[in-house]
C-alpha cells in the first residue's frame, strides 16, 4: 500500500482564504516532500522538510512535520485561483531510495 | 524549470502494438523513476534505477520493461499494448541526499497513453 495518505481528498475555498491539507504516513522517514500537479501535467516540487525539522516556510507555503504522529500539513495562505491543482505528499524512507506518493488533495480556489 | 523530457506527450495506438516511451534528463542524476497515474488518482511507482545498468521493479506490478544504458536516458517499453495499459506515465529523476535517501524529484510532463 502507498506510504502517504492525504486528507481531505478535495477542498473547495474562496480566493483569499487559507487552505490546509494533511498527510499521514506509516514508516520512519528521512524527509517528506510536497508536490503540486496541474491537470494533465507533471508534478512540481514545492518544499522538502527533513525528519529533524518541525516547520518550514516558503513564500505562502507553510509545512509542519510531526514525526511522533507520522503526519504533516501543508498550509497555503491567501489562496489564489492559480493555486487550483492537486497537491501530493511524498516520503523518502531512511535508508531507502524510493519516493512514495499519497493519493493527493484536489484544491479548487474560486475567484 | 526541470531539465527532464518525455516523448511522446500523447499516444493513441491499437492493441498488440509495441511502444517505447522516452525519458531523458540533462541534470546528471543517478536515480530515475517511472510512475503510472490514472487521471485524478495517486502515483504508483512501477520502475526505478540507481544508475547505469541498474533497474528495479517498483511497488505496482507492470508488464512494461525499462533499460538504463546511459545515465541520461531511461526508456520504458511495452511489448504488446492492451487497453488496460491506458494511463499517464510520468518519468522523474533525483539526486541522492548524503547517500541515504532521495531528495527532490524532477518530473517530466508525462506521456498519456491510450490503447484502443
Amino acid at each position: 500500500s502507498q506510504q502517504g495518505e492525504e486528507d481531505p481528498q478535495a477542498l473547495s475555498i474562496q480566493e483569499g482564504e487559507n487552505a490546509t491539507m494533511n498527510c499521514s504516513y506509516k514508516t520512519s522517514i528521512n524527509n517528506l516532500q510536497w508536490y503540486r500537479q496541474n491537470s494533465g501535467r507533471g508534478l512540481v516540487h514545492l518544499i522538502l522538510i527533513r525528519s529533524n525539522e518541525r516547520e518550514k516556510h516558503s513564500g505562502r507555503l507553510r509545512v509542519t512535520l510531526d514525526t511522533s504522529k507520522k503526519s504533516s500539513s501543508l498550509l497555503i495562505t491567501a489562496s489564489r485561483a492559480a493555486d487550483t491543482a492537486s497537491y501530493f505528499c511524498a516520503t523518502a524512507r531512511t535508508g531507502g531510495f524510493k519516493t512514495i506518493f499519497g493519493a493527493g488533495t484536489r484544491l479548487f480556489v474560486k475567484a | 524549470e526541470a531539465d527532464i523530457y518525455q516523448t511522446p506527450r500523447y499516444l493513441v495506438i491499437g492493441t498488440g502494438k509495441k511502444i517505447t516511451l522516452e525519458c531523458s534528463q540533462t541534470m546528471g542524476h543517478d536515480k530515475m523513476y517511472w510512475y503510472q497515474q490514472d487521471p485524478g488518482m495517486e502515483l504508483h511507482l512501477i520502475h526505478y534505477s540507481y544508475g547505469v545498468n541498474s533497474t528495479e521493479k517498483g511497488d505496482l506490478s507492470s508488464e512494461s520493461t525499462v533499460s538504463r544504458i546511459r545515465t541520461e536516458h531511461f526508456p520504458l517499453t511495452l511489448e504488446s499494448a492492451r487497453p488496460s495499459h491506458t494511463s499517464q506515465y510520468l518519468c522523474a529523476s533525483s539526486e541522492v541526499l548524503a547517500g541515504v535517501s532521495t531528495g527532490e524529484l524532477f518530473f517530466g510532463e508525462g506521456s498519456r497513453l491510450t490503447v484502443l
Side-chain angles (χ1 to χ4, degrees):
Chain A
S1 63
Q2 294 296 310
Q3 167 80 317
E5 295 182 6
E6 282 93 335
D7 169 60
Q9 289 185 317
L11 179 62
S12 181
I13 59 174
Q14 291 292 137
E15 213 168 24
E17 295 181 339
N18 295 340
T20 299
M21 289 160 267
N22 302 297
C23 169
S24 60
Y25 57 92
K26 297 177 181 175
T27 65
S28 62
I29 62 171
N30 180 275
N31 66 69
L32 184 144
Q33 302 164 42
W34 285 90
Y35 290 81
R36 167 192 168 127
Q37 183 182 36
N38 286 359
S39 181
R41 308 293 295 273
L43 280 73
V44 176
H45 182 263
L46 294 176
I47 195 165
L48 180 153
I49 185 166
R50 298 178 191 271
S51 59
N52 61 355
E53 297 175 308
R54 291 296 167 257
E55 188 170 312
K56 203 162 184 180
H57 297 255
S58 177
R60 293 185 294 114
L61 305 180
R62 173 178 168 256
V63 169
T64 62
L65 179 64
D66 186 335
T67 54
S68 66
K69 295 181 180 178
K70 291 186 168 59
S71 67
S72 173
S73 67
L74 170 67
L75 168 68
I76 303 174
T77 60
S79 63
R80 305 165 182 167
D83 293 330
T84 294
S86 291
Y87 293 82
F88 293 86
C89 73
T91 52
R93 301 180 193 179
T94 302
F97 292 96
K98 294 188 293 184
T99 300
I100 305 299
F101 286 79
T105 292
R106 283 135 202 85
L107 173 66
F108 302 92
V109 182
K110 293 175 283 189
Chain B
E1 196 164 308
D3 294 320
I4 180 164
Y5 308 99
Q6 290 186 242
T7 57
R9 283 293 313 278
Y10 303 95
L11 180 63
V12 180
I13 59 169
T15 296
K17 298 291 186 184
K18 177 181 178 179
I19 64 117
T20 296
L21 304 180
E22 303 287 350
C23 177
S24 295
Q25 51 99 2
T26 59
M27 297 171 281
H29 289 164
D30 285 327
K31 296 295 303 300
M32 293 190 75
Y33 314 77
W34 277 102
Y35 288 87
Q36 184 175 342
Q37 183 189 32
D38 291 329
M41 303 297 285
E42 62 193 295
L43 281 74
H44 294 280
L45 181 66
I46 53 175
H47 297 284
Y48 61 102
S49 167
Y50 293 113
V52 171
N53 294 325
S54 153
T55 60
E56 303 284 345
K57 289 191 178 296
D59 298 322
L60 179 69
S61 175
S62 174
E63 293 167 341
S64 58
T65 60
V66 293
S67 62
R68 190 86 183 276
I69 298 171
R70 304 197 315 266
T71 297
E72 62 271 21
H73 197 212
F74 191 40
L76 180 146
T77 298
L78 275 166
E79 290 292 334
S80 180
R82 294 204 300 270
S84 61
H85 296 139
T86 294
S87 189
Q88 173 157 262
Y89 294 84
L90 293 163
C91 180
S93 70
S94 74
E95 294 179 305
V96 175
L97 293 181
V100 296
S101 75
T102 54
E104 173 185 354
L105 266 66
F106 294 86
F107 280 85
E109 289 290 350
S111 292
R112 186 173 294 281
L113 173 66
T114 301
V115 184
L116 303 176

